[in-house]
Amino acid sequence: GQNIDQPTEMTATEGAIVQINCTYQTSGFNGLFWYQQHAGEAPTFLSYNVLDGLEEKGRFSSFLSRSKGYSYLLLKELQMKDSASYLCAVKDSNYQLIWGAGTKLIIKP
Amino acid sequence: ETGVTQTPRHLVMGMTNKKSLKCEQHLGHNAMYWYKQSAKKPLELMFVYSLEERVENNSVPSRFSPECPNSSHLFLHLHTLQPEDSALYLCASSQENREADTQYFGPGTRLTVL
């Protein structure tokens, strides 16, 4: 079966750095997405990786290793507004998006 | 600001009621999606419409009935639902090019079935 694993919940301190991991086992691979979802709001697109390596976008970076079936989202200089759930999703060989259950990130002052 | 809107934002209905959820996208996309989001579970894809044709129906119970009258509008008609259908229902749209066709989501409808 197809599976996306990510931690259920993480806690970090304002101003610090946090890394949210995602591992996947899918039938084929056509890209990996990260979304941010604040409570009661729409998931919003953060990043897309299809090749190995690090993609940096301001305070957020996303890394992909296809050989390891692994990605992480790195958040720097954490702010209180970064408290949200972070969803990892992989596009499989049929171009279907397979979703993880999300990681709830709690930022403390 | 979002290019995908959904109404209503909240809905409470009894098991014998009939209601409809509405989604509208203003992004010029050619694909639209309905998802179900339950607490601590992955997003569940319910229906996909590409160029107004349904291309996916992941064994969703018949009490959920989608309708896509044009590329900008998507409906989910609900009838005789069960309490376990209570969830957040999300609509999304994308421009299909089989690669980075990023999906953009609406704010969702929080459905409670009594």
Side-chain angles (χ1 to χ4, degrees):
Chain A
Q2 308 205 86
N3 195 49
I4 309 287
D5 287 315
Q6 47 180 136
T8 303
E9 187 173 299
M10 299 182 70
T11 302
T13 305
E14 190 177 15
I17 299 174
V18 71
Q19 178 175 310
I20 302 174
N21 296 325
C22 171
T23 58
Y24 61 90
Q25 300 91 38
T26 57
S27 56
F29 178 85
N30 281 296
L32 185 144
F33 295 80
W34 284 97
Y35 281 79
Q36 179 191 60
Q37 186 178 22
H38 286 101
E41 297 183 14
T44 55
F45 170 73
L46 288 178
S47 67
Y48 170 74
N49 294 70
V50 67
L51 300 176
D52 290 350
L54 188 68
E55 295 276 344
E56 296 187 76
K57 197 183 288 187
R59 293 189 298 114
F60 292 9
S61 303
S62 57
F63 172 82
L64 174 67
S65 169
R66 288 171 296 171
S67 62
K68 295 182 179 177
Y70 168 70
S71 172
Y72 66 73
L73 182 68
L74 190 72
L75 290 74
K76 303 176 184 177
E77 303 169 14
L78 286 170
Q79 301 175 9
M80 298 302 293
K81 67 178 183 180
D82 298 329
S83 292
S85 289
Y86 291 85
L87 312 179
C88 174
V90 172
K91 191 163 287 188
D92 68 9
S93 58
N94 294 320
Y95 295 91
Q96 288 267 27
L97 265 184
I98 311 300
W99 292 85
T103 299
K104 182 178 181 180
L105 178 63
I106 300 168
I107 309 297
K108 295 186 174 179
Chain B
E1 182 184 350
T2 176
V4 182
T5 58
Q6 290 185 244
T7 55
R9 292 294 310 275
H10 301 272
L11 178 62
V12 179
M13 59 187 290
M15 288 190 284
T16 58
N17 291 158
K18 290 185 180 181
K19 296 287 183 182
S20 295
L21 310 184
K22 179 183 176 182
C23 175
E24 184 172 358
Q25 60 98 358
H26 312 274
L27 301 170
H29 289 163
N30 60 9
M32 297 187 76
Y33 310 78
W34 278 118
Y35 283 94
K36 177 183 179 182
Q37 188 176 36
S38 303
K40 299 183 179 180
K41 294 175 73 174
L43 286 174
E44 299 174 46
L45 179 64
M46 301 176 71
F47 300 104
V48 180
Y49 277 83
S50 176
L51 298 172
E52 301 159 42
E53 295 290 324
R54 187 193 304 181
V55 297
E56 191 76 40
N57 180 354
N58 289 298
S59 302
V60 178
S62 59
R63 56 186 183 268
F64 295 92
S65 174
E67 179 189 0
C68 186
N70 55 60
S71 60
S72 299
H73 294 85
L74 186 65
F75 296 89
L76 187 63
H77 304 299
L78 317 172
H79 63 98
T80 59
L81 294 191
Q82 305 297 312
E84 61 264 29
D85 297 324
S86 298
L88 182 68
Y89 287 84
L90 291 165
C91 173
S93 72
S94 72
Q95 183 63 27
E96 286 193 323
N97 62 6
R98 291 204 143 236
E99 193 164 331
D101 53 336
T102 303
Q103 294 182 19
Y104 294 87
F105 286 83
T109 295
R110 173 67 63 185
L111 174 66
T112 303
V113 182
L114 303 176

